[in-house]
Amino acid sequence: MRTQDVGEAIIDYLREARPPAACEQIFLRAVAPHRPLASATVSSIVKLALVRAGIDNAPSRGANLLRHSAATSMLRAGATLDMIGTVLRHRSVDTTAHYAKVDIDMLLQIAQPWPGSASC
């Protein structure tokens, strides 16, 4: 699934399926009262999805996995750390830089060889 597909699905949800509510959060409880989902609820959904998919080596097993996935996807698409930090509402670029460290494949593409013939 492409990022564009996900974005379009979220827009469709907001226009067609999201219950009316006076809050900014995107995802709400399906039954009234329509309140934002607690982070523990989102974490439970993510954990269950990982179990169902047979994934046992995820970098996170809760709601934070969604943030990691979004940040990694944006990084691979060429977004800057400042851009990613804005989307994730980070106060410091140092917090956002954490996501650059976990993308080993991308880091290997830009890693420079150790100078000279000496190794660590």
Side-chain angles (χ1 to χ4, degrees), residues 92-108:
S92 166
V93 73
D94 293 334
T95 304
T96 311
H98 165 75
Y99 295 103
K101 294 176 192 170
V102 297
D103 194 343
I104 302 300
D105 293 334
M106 190 170 208
L107 289 173
L108 288 172

Side-chain angles (χ1 to χ4, degrees), residues 7 11 29 32 43 49 52 56 63 65 68 71 78-79 84 88-89 102:
I11 289 170
R29 290 174 25 137
S43 289
R52 286 182 178 167
D56 56 5
L65 180 61
H68 277 276
I84 296 167
L88 298 179
R89 295 182 169 183
V102 297

Side-chain angles (χ1 to χ4, degrees), residues 4-64:
Q4 182 69 30
D5 297 332
V6 174
E8 289 173 6
I10 290 173
I11 289 170
D12 287 345
Y13 164 76
L14 291 172
R15 289 184 178 155
E16 308 294 330
R18 183 182 183 273
C23 61
E24 293 182 359
Q25 288 81 356
I26 294 175
F27 300 107
L28 307 175
R29 290 174 25 137
V31 296
H34 301 293
R35 297 186 303 243
L37 294 175
S39 63
T41 303
V42 176
S43 289
S44 295
I45 292 167
V46 170
K47 288 176 189 174
L48 181 59
L50 289 170
V51 169
R52 286 182 178 167
I55 298 170
D56 56 5
N57 62 345
S60 172
R61 303 210 49 86
N64 204 38

